[in-house]
């Protein structure tokens, strides 16, 4: 690990200023420290925000405001989350180990980096790690990579379980800018697709700090989170699905679906929801929904198996919702 300066922020203003001057913000550090050990990232200065007052979950306009420093364990165990947003609680508990969840934070989870092995291997070209150097994954060994939202410059996927659940719940990211102003941004706008600039992953500007996440009032319906992975615990999703479905007599009245393990960002396709809404679930409808979701998929060699996993997860989620 290369030497770096360290600053413990006493308030948001000093944190914003230090971040704008090139400092890298650290909260729980569960991903960043690993990247620094491997010299995948080599910040010249760390800005520690762990002592800031951002660790509260509070009621907000019928929903919840989740502070950026709330740990994944505390958020998963919050009784309001377990009661009104069980898809979020289940997604959090499906991610990482208990020890990591005790340290990982809400803001940090949103910013965790891809698990593409070529991104972690500093001896190989990677446009996300070193812009313009090339993508070793394309033509290489593919398994934990995306099939939707990719480009000729990057096929890395977004790894977060939590972000998939937040996406289906229409969560918004609260961001404080360098001038002290705060604004909310939908997750869909927060994450960038790789295009020709895969190293730019979010809309954050220099000096921006994530201060929280806002959940809207709960909508009811059956909430579920399913995840397929290579082993029973402590593994990233090959494919996952978060669903919030309201159904009556076998007919879908309202639905929201988001997918993990297949997209360059937490993936949601409202075309599928529009198609399913008002329909009676049967095998033909499930097939059509899968076809529509995968119609834009780019199936490089080694990633074909993901289509079958997507269809099975979609089928089990829709079937459970109407039973």
């Amino acid at each position: 690990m290369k030497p770096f300066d360290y600053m413990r922020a006493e308030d948001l203003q000093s944190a914003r200023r230090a971040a704008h001057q090139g400092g890298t913000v650290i909260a729980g550090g569960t991903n960043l420290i690993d990247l620094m050990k491997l010299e995948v990232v080599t910040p010249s200065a760390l800005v520690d925000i762990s002592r800031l007052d951002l660790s509260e979950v509070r009621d907000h306009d019928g929903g919840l405001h989740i502070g950026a420093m709330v740990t994944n364990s505390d958020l998963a165990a919050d009784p309001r989350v377990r009661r009104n947003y069980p898809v979020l609680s289940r997604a959090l508990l499906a991610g990482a180990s208990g020890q990591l969840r005790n340290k990982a934070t809400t803001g940090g989870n949103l910013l965790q980096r891809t698990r593409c092995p070529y991104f972690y291997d500093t001896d190989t070209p990677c446009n996300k790690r070193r812009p313009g150097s090339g993508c070793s994954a394309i033509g290489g060994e593919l398994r934990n990579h995306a099939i939707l939202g990719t480009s000729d410059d990057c096929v890395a996927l977004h790894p977060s379980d939590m972000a998939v659940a937040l996406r289906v719940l229409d969560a918004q990211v609260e961001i404080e800018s360098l001038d002290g102003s705060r604004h909310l941004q939908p997750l869909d706008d927060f994450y960038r697709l790789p295009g020709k600039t895969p190293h730019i992953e979010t809309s954050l500007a220099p000096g921006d700090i994530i201060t929280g996440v806002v959940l809207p009032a709960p909508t009811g319906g059956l909430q579920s989170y399913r995840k397929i992975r290579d082993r029973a615990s402590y593994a990233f999703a090959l494919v996952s699905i978060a669903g919030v479905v309201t159904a009556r007599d076998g007919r879908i009245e309202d639905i929201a679906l988001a997918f993990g393990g297949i997209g360059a960002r937490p993936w949601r396709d409202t075309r599928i929801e529009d198609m399913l809404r008002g329909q009676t679930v049967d095998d033909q409808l499930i097939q059509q929904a899968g076809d529509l979701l995968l119609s834009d998929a780019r199936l490089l060699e080694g990633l074909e198996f993901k289509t079958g996993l997507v269809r099975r997860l979609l089928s089990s989620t829709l079937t459970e919702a109407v039973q």
Side-chain angles (χ1 to χ4, degrees):
M1 185 183 296
K2 293 187 176 180
F4 57 89
D5 294 331
Y6 173 82
M7 167 199 165
R8 177 174 291 162
E10 300 298 331
D11 50 49
L12 276 168
Q13 183 179 7
S14 61
R16 295 194 309 268
R17 188 164 52 245
H20 184 257
Q21 293 170 348
T24 298
V25 174
I26 184 170
T30 54
N31 186 206
L32 179 59
I33 296 298
D34 284 344
L35 294 170
M36 292 174 63
K37 288 178 179 176
L38 296 169
E39 297 187 356
V40 174
V41 297
T42 54
S44 58
L46 290 183
V47 184
D48 183 352
I49 65 168
S50 61
R51 302 294 176 89
L52 301 187
D53 185 20
L54 298 171
S55 302
E56 180 186 18
V57 181
R58 55 181 168 82
D59 296 335
H60 177 81
D61 288 342
L64 289 180
H65 180 280
I66 303 163
M69 287 300 303
V70 174
T71 67
N72 288 181
S73 292
D74 286 346
L75 185 57
D78 187 284
R80 292 162 293 186
V81 173
R82 295 180 62 185
R83 180 178 62 249
N84 297 324
Y85 309 97
V87 63
L88 176 56
S89 181
R90 291 168 188 164
L92 287 163
L93 293 174
S97 66
Q99 289 172 313
L100 286 172
R101 290 196 297 269
N102 288 340
K103 192 68 177 173
T105 65
T106 299
N109 197 315
L110 291 175
L111 296 177
Q112 67 175 300
R113 309 298 300 278
T114 181
R115 298 291 161 167
C116 174
Y118 299 101
F119 174 71
Y120 282 79
D121 183 355
T122 57
D123 291 330
T124 63
C126 172
N127 288 320
K128 189 179 285 292
R129 174 168 31 79
R130 192 168 63 249
S133 62
C135 176
S136 300
I138 298 176
E141 188 76 21
L142 296 176
R143 183 166 176 81
N144 291 307
H145 294 83
I147 60 175
L148 289 167
T150 63
S151 73
D152 290 339
D153 291 299
C154 184
V155 293
L157 63 79
H158 192 278
S160 170
D161 292 288
M162 183 191 79
V164 176
L166 292 178
R167 185 77 185 86
V168 83
L169 292 170
D170 290 323
Q172 298 186 87
V173 185
E174 183 185 63
I175 300 167
E176 185 164 310
S177 300
L178 181 62
D179 62 3
S181 63
R182 288 192 179 188
H183 66 280
L184 297 176
Q185 188 167 55
L187 271 185
D188 195 35
D189 297 332
F190 179 73
Y191 290 116
R192 300 279 186 89
L193 290 177
K196 293 186 175 299
T197 55
H199 59 292
I200 303 175
E201 298 175 340
T202 72
S203 63
L204 290 177
D208 282 355
I209 302 283
I210 295 175
T211 53
V213 170
V214 173
L215 293 179
T219 59
L222 181 67
Q223 299 188 19
S224 63
Y225 186 77
R226 288 180 165 85
K227 176 179 178 179
I228 298 175
R229 46 193 165 184
D230 279 328
R231 56 176 184 267
S233 65
Y234 196 40
F236 291 90
L238 293 172
V239 177
S240 66
I241 181 172
V244 180
V245 186
T246 301
R248 187 185 301 273
D249 299 328
R251 178 176 168 273
I252 295 174
E253 295 184 341
D254 201 9
I255 185 167
L257 297 171
F259 298 84
I262 60 172
R265 62 185 178 193
W267 201 260
R268 186 170 174 183
D269 188 338
T270 55
R271 296 178 304 169
I272 306 170
E273 298 166 11
D274 293 340
M275 188 188 81
L276 292 170
R277 200 170 289 117
Q279 301 296 315
T280 300
V281 172
D282 56 24
D283 291 343
Q284 183 179 3
L285 183 68
I286 293 170
Q287 178 71 32
Q288 291 172 345
D291 290 345
L292 182 57
L293 173 65
L294 296 168
S295 61
D296 297 327
R298 185 187 185 195
L299 298 176
L300 297 176
E301 183 178 357
L303 294 176
E304 302 90 339
F305 74 99
K306 290 202 172 188
T307 62
L309 300 183
V310 168
R311 291 183 184 279
R312 285 194 282 277
L313 281 183
L314 184 60
S315 176
S316 59
T317 297
L318 295 178
T319 302
E320 179 192 50
V322 298
Q323 285 179 342

